[in-house]
């Protein structure tokens, strides 16, 4: 089966087991869900997993995040390794899409807050750093943190098929993981609000600070 099939089966098994064990709350870290039609398979799957986890009667608290910036994180590793290894970086059309990363330390703090403040009903929250940027700006700001001089060139290519092969070769990331991630970059991945962070008093670590922290830990 596809990753969507397997994730759905795992989510349903987990929800059934949680209901049988009388679990009081499920806390799920998923992906930002843009308010756009025709979601990519990856984002549709994140939403389907969320809905399935909450379908068996156990209250679900869902945290929706974009790129998590932390040591050895998969998406973070892709853009960091790209900037480290390629002096001239081509920027296709999808690098103009907006993204809102979030620091791993913020994610952990918010997960802990949800565990300490359970709710009787299901709920979902968007989370993110204070920074909203394009993917190109993300790469440029990463290069600045790394102290590397990089040249960024616009290329008039809209698809992602070529890029999954190229990025896999450059970063060593399996194409099976890159393909669904790249299909999602055409969407605007920005938090609608950050009310959970206001409640938890977790304003968000700035992007550059999060990258430096991840580099130090690695």
């Amino acid at each position: 089966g596809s990753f969507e099939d397997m994730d759905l089966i795992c989510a349903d098994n987990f929800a059934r087991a949680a209901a049988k064990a009388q679990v009081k709350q499920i806390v799920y870290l998923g992906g930002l869900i843009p308010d756009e039609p025709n979601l990519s398979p990856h984002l549709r799957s994140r939403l389907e997993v969320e809905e399935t986890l909450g379908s068996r009667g156990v209250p679900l608290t869902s945290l929706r995040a974009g790129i998590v910036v932390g040591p050895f994180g998969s998406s973070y590793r892709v853009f960091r390794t790209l900037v480290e290894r390629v002096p001239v970086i081509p920027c296709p059309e999808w690098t103009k899409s907006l993204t809102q990363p979030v620091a791993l330390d913020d994610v952990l703090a918010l997960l802990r807050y949800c565990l300490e403040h359970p709710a009787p009903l299901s709920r979902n929250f968007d989370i993110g750093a204070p920074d909203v940027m394009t993917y190109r700006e993300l790469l440029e700001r990463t290069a600045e943190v790394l102290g590397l001089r990089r040249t960024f060139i616009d290329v008039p290519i809209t698809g992602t098929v070529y890029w999954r092969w190229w990025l896999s070769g450059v970063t060593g990331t399996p194409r099976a993981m890159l393909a669904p991630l790249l299909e999602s970059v055409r969407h605007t991945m920005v938090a609608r609000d950050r009310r959970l962070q206001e409640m938890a008093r977790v304003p968000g670590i700035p992007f550059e600070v999060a990258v430096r922290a991840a580099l130090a830990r690695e």
Side-chain angles (χ1 to χ4, degrees):
S2 66
F3 76 88
E4 301 104 312
D5 299 328
M6 300 307 298
D7 284 0
L8 175 61
I9 291 170
C10 290
D12 189 54
N13 285 344
F14 187 93
R16 290 172 182 267
K20 185 176 181 180
Q22 298 183 336
V23 168
K24 295 180 180 179
Q25 179 186 211
I26 297 172
V27 182
Y28 168 61
L29 176 62
L32 288 171
I33 306 298
D35 187 18
E36 301 175 21
N38 303 317
L39 293 176
S40 70
H42 177 249
L43 295 181
R44 282 201 312 269
S45 176
R46 295 309 89 206
L47 181 59
E48 185 176 53
V49 166
E50 180 181 310
E51 293 170 343
T52 302
L53 287 173
S55 66
R56 300 294 177 180
V58 179
L60 171 71
T61 297
S62 177
L63 306 188
R64 298 172 173 177
I67 295 173
V68 177
V69 181
F72 309 107
S74 54
S75 297
Y76 155 75
R77 179 184 173 278
V78 171
F79 70 76
R80 189 211 66 208
T81 305
L82 171 63
V83 171
E84 286 177 336
R85 295 182 178 177
V86 182
V88 179
I89 299 176
C91 297
E93 285 295 310
W94 50 261
T95 61
K96 298 177 182 178
S97 299
L98 292 176
T99 184
Q100 188 171 8
V102 61
L104 176 60
D105 285 344
D106 286 338
V107 174
L108 295 176
L110 293 168
L111 289 171
R112 186 178 301 113
Y113 178 86
C114 291
L115 290 172
E116 295 172 349
H117 299 81
L121 300 175
S122 293
R123 54 191 180 162
N124 62 72
F125 301 103
D126 289 0
I127 63 175
D131 313 74
V132 176
M133 65 196 80
T134 65
Y135 286 98
R136 173 170 177 160
E137 289 170 338
L138 180 148
L139 295 171
E140 291 172 343
R141 292 167 70 167
T142 300
E144 290 179 7
V145 172
L146 294 173
L148 298 172
R149 296 185 63 180
R150 294 293 181 254
T151 301
F152 299 86
I153 301 176
D154 290 328
V155 292
I157 299 176
T158 56
T160 61
V161 175
Y162 166 77
W163 299 104
R164 72 184 65 167
W165 286 84
W166 183 73
L167 278 174
S168 178
V170 168
T171 66
T173 306
R175 289 192 300 274
M177 191 188 85
L178 278 173
L181 293 178
L182 286 176
E183 289 173 358
S184 300
V185 297
R186 59 185 169 87
H187 296 293
T188 297
M189 301 290 285
V190 174
R192 294 180 182 85
D193 62 65
R194 299 193 300 148
R195 67 187 189 279
L196 175 63
Q197 291 171 251
E198 295 173 1
M199 293 161 49
R201 298 182 180 180
V202 179
I205 297 169
F207 175 73
E208 282 84 356
V209 176
V211 173
R212 289 191 185 96
L215 289 169
R217 293 178 191 175
E218 290 180 340

